[in-house]
Amino acid sequence: MPDLSIVMIVVIIQIMTKWRPDPGSLTRPAYRSLVQAIETAIQNGVLKPGDRLPTQRQMAFDLSLSVQTVSRAYDKLVEAGKIVGEVGRGTFVRAASDEISMPFVSRKAAGRLLDMSILKPVLDHAHEEAMQKTLRAMARSLPRAMMGGFRQDLRAGDSSSAARRWLSLCGLDLEGMAVVPTNGSTSAMTVAMMTAAQPGDLIVSEDIGHHTLRPLARFLGIRLQGVTVDAGGICPDGLERICAKEPVKAVYLIPNGANPLAFTMTESRRAAVIEVARRHDLLIIENQSWGPLQDAPPPPMAAMAPERVLYFTSLTKCLLPGLRVGYLVVPDHFCASAANRHMVTSWMATNMMTEIAGRWIEEGTAETLLNRQQLALRDRADFAANVFRGLDMRTSSNGLHLWLPCHDIYEEADLVKSIRESGVAVANGASFAIGPPDRHPGLRVSIGGQSFPEFARGIRMIDARLRNRGRAEGL
């Protein structure tokens, strides 16, 4: 009588290798359809980490495909990190990674590529002249407080006139609210998350958003879940369903164009989300990192529900990357909590940067540079729309990026690779996913950060790759 353990192992192996996609569900191109079928089986738990896939030859025979087609599909899944081949043992479903890939290229690679992967404003001689003028003025009359203080701590009632003026451009007054100056938006985001939730709490967000939100939540011990979005932003019904299932502490939103999909939430959609938040006593973390870059945007959610919104913005994206100054605005009753968390994380707005920002705002330099930025981004978006005519391109008012949707994440990966081979780096949509990476496949293309000739060259190169791929798929 055979050993029972050996029989069980044989049965398990047979079960693991028995899964096949339905041949009738495959469409052309067959390799991509097979990739999607395996990806779906992994996501739905039909295929689990450690499960063995059929050999390429066996899969090809069962599905009446060529071995080359199956091999191509397996190669794509290996590149995506979904499966792994082990010599002498077979091909297995890979355990999901806890890490997230950053959308940017490395510094070393950026030197060899036209980098359109990271969001930066358009810079020109006006920025250099403004900075030189301010530094000369500061050298003649350097404030002692700037040299003698570790950090600034602006609170309700004594916020600087510069902060108030800048936030008013963003659509906010500070009645009943406190301001904490920060070292840009990233530090403000960290403090807001720590203020809104404790380890173990659940925060929800759009299912595509800021690329650092997932790792930040993990490092803070905060659970994170994505909510479906449409062309108008996060879906209130989806938010309601999650809140009905379990307690949610806060919802993190990017309502003004800076979301990778380039949507802007309408005022009515914002009101609907606020209604859900009030019904379930949620806090709202509002990311408006682009500041007042958009033309006539809807009112900030912080203006609509000041009692429950933690709002942040900065000058970094809309004026100058090196001007690392941001503002975290919180309800008065969160002032002490936010200030304490700001202190213990060692984030601070340096006095030098805060002084420069204050002078620019008070003197009107910030608004002048903001207006130049809006015009430059508008011109670039128009240029790109003309080049990409006939293709699906999405952008927002005076936005810093374009969004080019893809059919699926495998086309997304292929295009990112192909475009990079042509000498241009763009960001892949999967890097911004909060949840499954295949919900919003696409390319995010920065339109600032380069001179106009370099920007135009990059757009034309991207267009050539997109159209060449379209013709190839049509064959």
Side-chain angles (χ1 to χ4, degrees):
M1 183 175 180
D3 189 325
L4 183 59
S5 62
I6 295 177
V7 173
M8 292 179 65
I9 291 172
V10 171
V11 171
I12 291 171
I13 291 175
Q14 289 175 340
I15 291 173
M16 287 194 299
T17 59
K18 199 171 184 178
W19 178 87
R20 305 286 190 281
D22 177 9
S25 68
L26 301 181
T27 58
R28 294 180 63 84
Y31 84 91
R32 184 185 296 165
S33 186
L34 178 56
V35 165
Q36 290 176 324
I38 295 174
E39 169 83 6
T40 299
I42 293 172
Q43 288 181 357
N44 293 341
V46 176
L47 286 173
K48 298 178 174 58
D51 284 357
R52 186 167 63 182
L53 293 175
T55 65
Q56 295 179 16
R57 189 172 297 280
Q58 185 64 49
M59 182 75 85
F61 177 81
D62 292 343
L63 300 179
S64 299
L65 299 174
S66 70
V67 174
Q68 290 81 3
T69 296
V70 175
S71 177
R72 187 178 182 187
Y74 277 32
D75 286 345
K76 293 297 180 186
L77 288 163
V78 169
E79 290 175 8
K82 302 298 181 183
I83 64 175
V84 59
E86 299 183 15
V87 178
R89 295 190 63 232
T91 303
F92 298 84
V93 177
R94 190 174 183 177
S97 172
D98 202 24
E99 295 299 320
I100 181 172
S101 61
M102 292 294 108
F104 326 127
V105 297
S106 66
R107 290 186 179 182
K108 182 178 180 180
R112 295 181 281 102
L113 296 169
L114 178 59
D115 190 0
M116 303 180 78
S117 66
I118 188 169
L119 298 188
K120 289 184 178 180
V122 178
L123 302 182
D124 60 23
H125 63 90
H127 296 82
E128 296 177 8
E129 293 172 358
M131 184 61 75
Q132 291 168 357
K133 178 182 177 182
T134 301
L135 291 177
R136 285 194 295 266
M138 288 174 63
R140 291 192 295 268
S141 59
L142 204 60
R144 183 171 294 275
M146 189 192 77
M147 295 185 291
F150 287 115
R151 67 179 75 223
Q152 293 201 357
D153 185 17
L154 305 184
R155 301 192 176 200
D158 65 351
S159 297
S160 74
S161 59
R164 286 182 174 275
R165 181 171 177 176
W166 184 256
L167 290 166
S168 70
L169 292 176
C170 298
L172 275 184
D173 64 41
L174 300 181
E175 184 66 32
M177 307 191 83
V179 180
V180 178
T182 64
N183 185 30
S185 288
T186 302
S187 59
M189 172 181 171
T190 301
V191 174
M193 290 278 284
M194 294 177 69
T195 304
Q198 300 291 324
D201 286 339
L202 175 63
I203 286 182
V204 298
S205 170
E206 300 111 333
D207 62 4
I208 182 167
H210 199 281
H211 66 278
T212 65
L213 183 58
R214 270 175 51 195
L216 174 61
R218 185 172 69 249
F219 298 150
L220 295 177
I222 294 171
R223 294 181 296 132
L224 182 66
Q225 184 174 343
V227 180
T228 303
V229 301
D230 58 22
I234 195 169
C235 298
D237 290 346
L239 178 61
E240 177 71 47
R241 283 193 295 272
I242 291 178
C243 292
K245 290 180 180 178
E246 61 178 311
V248 177
K249 200 69 175 180
V251 54
Y252 179 102
L253 300 171
I254 310 177
N256 276 23
N259 188 283
L261 300 184
F263 60 71
T264 296
M265 289 177 65
T266 63
E267 185 171 358
S268 60
R269 176 66 65 89
R270 295 173 193 227
V273 171
I274 289 171
E275 182 181 348
V276 175
R278 284 178 170 150
R279 187 159 54 249
H280 294 278
D281 196 23
L282 307 183
L283 295 174
I284 298 172
I285 301 173
E286 182 177 9
N287 176 341
Q288 193 171 328
S289 59
W290 290 3
L293 199 57
Q294 288 188 297
D295 292 323
M301 302 180 80
M304 301 171 69
E307 80 285 356
R308 67 183 57 252
V309 179
L310 289 75
Y311 168 104
F312 63 88
T313 187
S314 78
L315 285 69
T316 306
K317 294 294 187 183
C318 57
L319 294 187
L320 191 69
L323 194 60
R324 303 294 304 177
V325 174
Y327 302 110
L328 172 63
V329 182
V330 300
D332 276 348
H333 54 279
F334 281 113
C335 179
S337 297
N340 287 335
R341 284 153 179 77
H342 186 243
M343 181 179 67
V344 300
T345 54
S346 297
W347 290 109
M348 64 184 70
T350 61
N351 291 337
M352 174 73 79
M353 290 295 102
T354 303
E355 178 69 18
I356 294 171
R359 292 185 182 222
W360 278 16
I361 295 169
E362 294 288 5
E363 296 166 359
T365 302
E367 286 188 58
T368 298
L369 294 177
L370 177 68
N371 292 336
R372 291 177 67 90
Q373 192 67 215
Q374 292 170 328
L375 291 172
L377 291 171
R378 203 173 302 146
D379 287 345
R380 294 188 179 207
D382 290 343
F383 176 88
N386 186 57
V387 172
F388 291 142
R389 186 172 296 157
L391 301 176
D392 187 2
M393 185 198 91
R394 304 172 192 174
T395 188
S396 59
S397 168
N398 308 330
L400 287 164
H401 73 272
L402 313 172
W403 178 257
L404 300 169
C406 295
H407 292 105
D408 52 50
I409 59 171
Y410 304 101
E411 181 187 44
E412 171 190 294
D414 285 346
L415 282 171
V416 169
K417 181 179 178 182
S418 174
I419 291 168
R420 181 171 295 203
E421 288 172 350
S422 73
V424 181
V426 298
N428 61 316
S431 296
F432 307 99
I434 311 298
D438 61 344
R439 289 183 180 172
H440 303 283
L443 311 178
R444 193 195 71 174
V445 182
S446 170
I447 64 175
Q450 308 289 343
S451 67
F452 190 88
E454 288 290 276
F455 154 77
R457 180 170 69 89
I459 290 295
R460 291 192 180 100
M461 293 168 73
I462 294 169
D463 178 69
R465 292 286 169 152
L466 292 174
R467 295 189 191 277
N468 286 340
R469 183 170 182 81
R471 285 191 288 269
E473 292 290 349
L475 295 178

